């Protein structure tokens, strides 16, 4: 079920649900969900052996790993901004910590950890967390890979039964000697541990699926420990001295510059790893709807504060440095955690284990822990990351960072990586290849790379190789051109044109002209304007949509000898503008323009006033005459709408002898539009009548598609034509022209099976009264296309919902009113005092119309379940139903969250669905 924040003042009992987003309800007792308990146990079983292993790898007291794990769970878990991220001693800090312990000793290292935590607190207060993410991913992944190599090489000595050295070079140099004196028992336990780490996640069958729920690190260490104990192997084991002798932090002792560098290194590594981990956790949660509905997005500045506080506490208590740990966080999410309680409870379990399980922990062989940490180090060298940086031509930055971390240290490696990244960026910015060739009398100048002032001399020399008066094509293949290069190119183009030559600037893709108007082909075909005379039309493909459709220059129309058309366009009835696009300029039900003009010079108060006949507000006033029932925001088909209009913005607007509109601009999708320059009428026009602005706009739009878009989608459409459509979901939404389904769902050809009608209504079975279009579409989508989901999408400012609210009993039954009766159950549901209202997360509905729009989505989902094909697919678990609400004015989508007592439409953010 789902919940509602009411807009009615007479229901104080509902007010207790109202609270700010992401803040706890004011009068709710804290509860410990069962999912959090089970998740905390899973994380604890992973964290315990890893914490001991990382402490072993750093050379710190083994208790330090347990202290860091407990503090990370309790302090960072409570104060951090990423509720499901689990913090503790991280493998990424192993090399740094080992170097500090070797150079300054353990107690000074603890003091450095405290200072690094204070530095993190300062950065969190300055709210610079997002800035930390500006580091190139190639540098971060290279740093982690270098740390992983260092860890693996060092732990290899313990796996073989020896003792690691302080540097990678020493470890590599001593490796042949260590291979000559292998300790068989240590090697056997290590091999057993590694084998279990590799094979356990791959256990087949149903039994394997159940066994795989036990964390792999726990299984590997437990089996190796049990085997060593049963066989009586003589091996170095975990040694946990009494807590009374545990070493705490002391005042830092050492050179000031060295200590500052150490603090900066710990701060950098901890902060970057934790923030990247928080972003990764957000992505994991976003892919699990049952959790994303209950877990908010991470607050990175708060996360930095939490990590800083945890490092201060951990260092003061003699623990290792703390950062977000990917392995534990991933396990927490996959175990179903729904709040920060799981992270904190895992910290409590670590404390209990550290106090009560010491005899058991001291049975663990160090070789098993070393094998576990070595496997973690190897996994830090990710082949996926290597392929990614190679694909983005960042492999040099990755390799330099990795090698520098291995041979010089983390801080030095990151510094060299940043320097290499800057060098690569400058190289790309300055490396421009400019060539010239001649083909069949046409001179081609090819520019590869970015055009900056550094390339201007070479560009100028190459352009002057083109003879005066010749035809030239300049092909630009780059994403950036600075002012100096632009001026140089423009000056040459102007000069070359003056001397009788021609210049065409094109991009590499399909020869698309740079700065080309959206519809020159249609403009030239309809008005006879020559290409060189059409410079007044200067719209580009990626502009705000209200500027997307080109305005036909008035001068062009006058040259064509059709002044009446120039005066009678739909912009303002006074001339100069093309018909607005249906994606913009839609009128609200009260007749006012919701988005502004679009290609004309509309004056306030003109063309936005409703007609006396009620054309613009007919949906809001159902008593209007039937032949004028049109709303600028609705395609008024009765059932699934079919666009048969003569232009992109067809309508029933009657025109006067001067061409001014008297009805709504661009109304229904089931009527043909007329807007002739002279005379009056509402007759159905045809696309071949190019004397009308709507026909000209249609031709220009088609021409732009054929020229710019068709070459890019032709291959995919050809595949769909061969294989047939296989959409994954049925998308049932309103016929409102402002709802562009492919845009708001980022979908393309073949993705959605779309049904549109006035009010996104789903008639109950048997209530269609001769119109089975919606039921037929549902049956076809579910039984034939076998879609996996159905989405019902409502929207703000719906004219159909306004009409329902304003309906009066006994009014004349027009086709529109007969159709809208399928929305009456939604109106009844909203009026039912015993039912919770649907609401938006974080705020109450703006007005009764928005409340009805939300309620209507919930009600139509119930209607869907009444259809036999849908009910059958739901019972078989083959279909999912989703509710969606789109706020047009905010360009914001909301998804109906299931699993609550109330009906809540939750905000969908920018990073919620990042891969």
């Amino acid at each position: 079920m789902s919940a509602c924040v009411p807009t009615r003042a007479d229901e104080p009992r509902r007010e207790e649900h109202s609270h700010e987003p992401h803040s706890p309800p004011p009068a709710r007792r804290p509860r410990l969900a069962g999912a959090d308990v089970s998740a905390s146990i899973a994380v604890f079983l992973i964290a315990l052996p890893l914490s001991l292993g990382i402490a072993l790898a750093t050379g710190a007291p083994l208790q330090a790993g347990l202290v860091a794990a407990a503090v990370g769970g309790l302090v960072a878990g409570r104060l951090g901004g990423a509720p499901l991220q689990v913090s503790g001693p991280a493998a990424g800090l192993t090399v740094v910590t080992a170097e500090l312990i070797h150079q300054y000793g353990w107690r000074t290292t603890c003091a450095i950890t405290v200072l690094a935590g204070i530095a993190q607190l300062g950065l969190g207060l300055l709210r610079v967390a997002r800035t930390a993410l500006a580091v190139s991913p190639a540098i971060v992944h290279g740093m982690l890979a270098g740390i992983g190599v260092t860890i693996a090489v060092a732990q290899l000595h313990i796996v073989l039964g020896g003792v690691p050295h302080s540097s990678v070079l020493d470890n590599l140099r001593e490796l042949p000697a260590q291979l000559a004196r292998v300790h068989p028992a240590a090697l056997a336990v290590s091999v057993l541990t590694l084998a279990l780490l590799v094979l356990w996640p791959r256990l087949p069958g149903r039994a394997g699926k159940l066994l795989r729920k036990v964390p792999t690190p726990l299984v590997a260490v437990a089996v190796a420990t049990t085997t060593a104990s049963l066989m009586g192997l003589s091996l170095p084991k975990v040694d946990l001295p009494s807590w009374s002798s545990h070493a705490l932090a002391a005042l830092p002792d050492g050179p000031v510059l060295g200590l500052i560098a150490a603090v900066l290194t710990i701060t950098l590594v901890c902060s970057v790893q934790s923030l990247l981990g928080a972003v990764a956790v957000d992505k994991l949660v976003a892919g699990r709807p049952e959790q994303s509905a209950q877990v908010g997005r991470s607050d990175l500045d708060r996360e930095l504060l939490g990590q800083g506080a945890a490092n201060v506490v951990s260092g003061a208590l003699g623990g290792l440095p703390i950062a977000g740990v990917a392995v534990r966080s991933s396990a927490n999410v996959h175990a179903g955690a729904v709040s920060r309680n799981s992270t904190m409870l895992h910290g409590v379990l670590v404390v209990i284990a550290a106090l009560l399980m010491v005899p058991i922990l001291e049975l663990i062989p160090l070789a098993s822990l070393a094998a576990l940490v070595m496997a973690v180090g190897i996994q830090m060298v990710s082949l996926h990351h290597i392929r990614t940086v190679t694909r983005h031509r960042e492999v040099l930055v990755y390799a330099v960072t990795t090698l520098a971390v291995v041979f010089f240290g983390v801080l030095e490696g990151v510094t060299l990586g940043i320097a290499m990244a800057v060098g690569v960026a400058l190289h790309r910015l300055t490396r421009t290849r400019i060539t010239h060739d001649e083909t069949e009398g046409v001179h081609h100048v090819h520019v590869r790379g970015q055009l900056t002032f550094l390339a201007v001399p070479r560009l100028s020399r190459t352009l002057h190789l083109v003879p005066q008066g010749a035809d030239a094509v300049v092909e630009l293949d780059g994403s950036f051109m600075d002012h100096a290069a632009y001026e140089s190119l423009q000056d040459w183009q102007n000069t070359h044109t003056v001397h009788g030559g021609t210049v065409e600037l094109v991009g590499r893709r399909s020869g698309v002209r740079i700065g080309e108007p959206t519809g020159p082909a249609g403009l030239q075909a309809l008005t006879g304007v020559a290409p060189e005379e059409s410079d007044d039309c200067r719209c580009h493909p990626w502009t705000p949509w209200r500027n997307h459709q080109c305005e036909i220059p008035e001068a062009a129309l006058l040259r064509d000898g059709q002044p009446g058309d120039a005066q009678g366009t739909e912009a303002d009835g006074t001339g100069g503008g093309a018909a607005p696009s249906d994606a913009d300029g839609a009128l609200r039900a009260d007749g006012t323009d919701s988005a502004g003009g679009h290609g004309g010079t509309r004056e306030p108060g003109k063309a936005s006033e409703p007609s006396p006949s009620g054309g613009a507000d007919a949906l809001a006033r159902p008593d209007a005459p039937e032949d004028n029932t049109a709303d600028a925001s609705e395609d008024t088909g009765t059932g699934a709408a079919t666009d048969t209009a003569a232009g992109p913005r067809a309508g029933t607007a009657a025109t006067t002898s001067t061409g001014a509109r008297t009805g709504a601009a661009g109304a229904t999708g089931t009527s043909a539009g007329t807007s002739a320059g002279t005379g009056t009428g509402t007759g159905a026009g045809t696309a071949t009548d190019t004397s009308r602005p709507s026909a000209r706009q249609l031709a220009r739009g088609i021409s732009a598609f054929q020229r710019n878009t068709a070459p890019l989608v032709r291959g995919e459409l050809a595949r769909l034509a061969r294989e047939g459509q296989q959409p994954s979901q049925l998308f049932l939404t309103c016929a409102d022209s402002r709802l562009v389904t492919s845009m708001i769902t980022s979908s393309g050809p073949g993705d959605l099976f779309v049904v549109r009608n006035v009010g996104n209504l789903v008639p109950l079975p048997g209530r269609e009264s001769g119109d089975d279009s919606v039921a037929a579409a549902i049956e076809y989508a579910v039984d034939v296309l076998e879609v996996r989901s159905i989405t019902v999408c409502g929207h703000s400012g719906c004219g159909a919902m306004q009409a329902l609210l304003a309906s009066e009993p006994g009014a004349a039954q027009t086709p529109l009113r007969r159709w809208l009766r399928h929305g009456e159950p939604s109106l009844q549901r909203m009026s039912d005092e015993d039912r919770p209202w649907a609401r938006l997360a974080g705020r109450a509905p703006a007005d009764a119309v928005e409340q009805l729009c939300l309620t209507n989505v919930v009600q139509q989902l119930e209607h869907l379940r009444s259809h036999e094909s849908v009910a059958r697919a739901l019972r078989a678990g083959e279909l999912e139903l989703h509710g969606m609400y789109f706020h047009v004015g905010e360009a914001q989508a909301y998804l109906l969250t299931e699993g609550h007592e109330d009906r809540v439409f939750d905000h969908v953010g920018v990073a919620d669905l990042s891969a």
Side-chain angles (χ1 to χ4, degrees), residues 502-829:
T502 63
V503 179
E504 184 178 8
L505 302 179
V506 301
R508 179 181 61 173
R509 275 183 141 185
S510 305
V512 177
R513 285 190 280 175
I514 304 298
E516 183 174 47
T518 299
L523 178 64
Q524 296 160 27
L526 296 171
T527 64
V529 180
E532 62 273 13
E533 295 176 342
S534 63
D535 293 337
D536 294 330
C537 186
R538 287 289 184 184
C539 54
H540 301 267
W542 300 115
T543 57
W545 187 259
R546 63 179 297 169
N547 300 321
H548 192 74
Q549 292 287 344
C550 281
E551 175 185 350
I552 300 178
E554 184 176 356
L557 295 173
L558 292 175
R559 283 194 298 268
D560 197 39
Q562 296 175 345
D565 289 340
Q567 298 173 357
T569 60
E570 294 194 13
D572 57 3
T574 59
S581 165
D582 66 351
D584 184 73
L587 300 182
R588 296 192 293 265
D590 60 359
T592 59
D593 194 334
S594 65
H598 169 106
T601 55
R602 177 177 301 179
E603 297 177 8
K606 291 190 177 182
S608 62
E609 300 176 357
S611 151
S613 62
D617 60 351
L619 280 183
R621 298 192 297 106
D623 56 333
E626 177 181 346
D627 57 354
N628 277 327
T629 53
D631 177 59
S633 65
E634 303 286 350
D635 293 339
T636 56
T638 59
T642 55
D643 293 337
T644 58
R649 196 177 183 84
T652 58
T655 59
T656 66
S657 59
T658 59
R661 294 179 299 164
T662 62
T668 68
T670 57
S671 58
T674 64
S675 184
T678 60
T680 63
T682 58
T686 63
T688 57
D689 182 4
T690 58
S691 65
R692 297 182 297 110
S694 60
R696 287 197 297 272
Q697 183 180 0
L698 174 63
R700 291 200 314 277
I702 294 174
S703 174
F705 167 79
Q706 293 297 152
R707 181 179 63 258
N708 298 330
T709 308
L712 304 179
V713 301
R714 186 170 288 120
E716 176 64 12
L717 290 178
R719 183 189 66 80
L720 291 172
R722 291 191 307 270
E723 301 175 2
Q725 62 170 327
Q726 296 177 338
S728 60
Q729 60 179 299
L730 165 62
F731 197 87
L732 196 152
T733 188
C734 186
D736 193 304
S737 62
R738 297 167 296 180
L739 258 68
V740 185
T741 56
S742 59
M743 179 176 69
I744 64 177
T745 60
S746 299
S747 56
D751 292 339
L752 301 180
F753 186 71
V754 181
V755 174
R756 306 188 68 152
N757 61 55
V758 174
N760 46 275
L761 302 178
V762 181
L764 286 167
R767 294 283 303 277
E768 294 89 346
S769 298
D771 183 1
D772 293 329
S773 59
V774 176
I778 293 171
E779 180 182 344
Y780 184 76
V782 175
D783 293 343
V784 179
L785 297 178
E786 298 180 345
V787 297
R788 302 295 299 173
S789 69
I790 302 179
T791 300
V792 176
C793 177
H795 67 95
S796 61
C798 181
M801 299 301 103
Q802 296 177 50
L804 276 174
L805 286 172
S807 61
E808 297 179 0
Q813 288 300 304
T814 66
L816 177 60
R817 290 194 189 90
R818 286 195 294 272
W819 170 253
L820 289 179
R821 77 185 188 281
H822 300 301
E824 291 175 357
S826 301
L827 196 59
Q828 296 168 3
R829 184 190 189 99

Side-chain angles (χ1 to χ4, degrees), residues 221-452:
V221 173
V223 171
T225 301
T226 303
T227 302
S229 299
L230 293 177
M231 296 182 65
L233 299 178
S234 177
L235 290 169
K237 297 180 180 178
V238 169
D239 181 19
L240 294 174
S242 171
W243 285 103
S244 60
S245 61
H246 179 63
L248 302 180
L251 292 176
D253 181 21
V256 175
L257 292 179
L259 292 173
I260 292 176
V263 171
L264 291 178
T265 303
I266 293 289
T267 303
L268 171 69
V269 178
C270 288
S271 301
V272 171
Q273 183 166 343
S274 299
L275 295 176
L276 291 176
V279 173
V281 169
D282 281 348
K283 294 179 180 179
L284 287 176
V285 173
R288 301 171 67 89
E290 68 279 4
Q291 288 172 277
S292 61
Q294 304 178 60
V295 182
R297 292 176 56 193
S298 298
D299 182 339
L300 297 184
D301 291 306
R302 179 178 171 181
E303 179 64 16
L304 201 53
L305 290 171
Q307 295 292 332
N311 273 314
V312 170
V313 175
S314 179
L317 296 179
L320 290 169
I322 289 173
V325 186
V327 176
R328 299 174 211 181
S329 302
S330 176
N332 196 33
V333 173
H334 289 297
V338 294
S339 74
R340 62 179 72 247
N341 291 335
S342 64
T343 304
M344 297 172 63
L345 185 56
H346 126 270
V348 173
L349 294 176
V350 171
V351 172
I352 294 173
L355 296 176
L356 304 180
M357 295 178 58
V358 172
I360 298 176
L361 297 179
E362 289 184 334
L363 296 176
I364 300 175
L366 296 183
S368 179
L369 291 179
L372 174 63
V373 177
M374 186 176 75
V376 172
I378 294 173
Q379 291 172 355
M380 292 173 71
V381 186
S382 170
L383 293 178
H384 169 71
H385 291 154
I386 294 175
R387 285 193 294 266
T388 300
V389 298
T390 302
R391 186 167 62 250
H392 291 90
R393 297 185 297 172
E394 299 279 349
V395 68
L396 186 59
V397 177
Y398 180 91
V400 167
T401 306
T402 300
L403 294 175
V405 168
V406 169
F407 293 108
F408 302 111
V410 174
L411 186 61
E412 294 85 351
V414 171
T415 303
L416 288 174
I418 293 175
M420 179 56 65
V422 172
V424 169
L426 290 175
H427 174 73
R428 289 175 179 173
L429 192 62
T430 58
R431 183 178 180 273
T432 307
R433 183 184 177 192
I434 305 174
T435 60
H436 166 261
D437 60 71
E438 180 184 357
T439 305
E440 298 179 354
V442 179
H443 292 259
H444 294 267
V445 176
H446 303 273
V447 180
R448 300 287 184 269
Q450 318 311 319
L451 266 179
T452 67

Side-chain angles (χ1 to χ4, degrees), residues 56-59 98 102 150-168 170-172 174-175 178 181 366 370:
L56 172 67
T58 60
H102 177 74
T150 305
I151 292 172
V153 173
Q155 297 309 298
L156 182 57
H157 282 269
I158 302 179
V159 166
L160 297 175
V163 178
H165 298 274
S166 58
S167 71
V168 177
D170 290 338
N171 283 322
L172 291 175
E174 296 295 326
L175 188 58
Q178 182 62 57
R181 54 177 187 273
L366 296 183

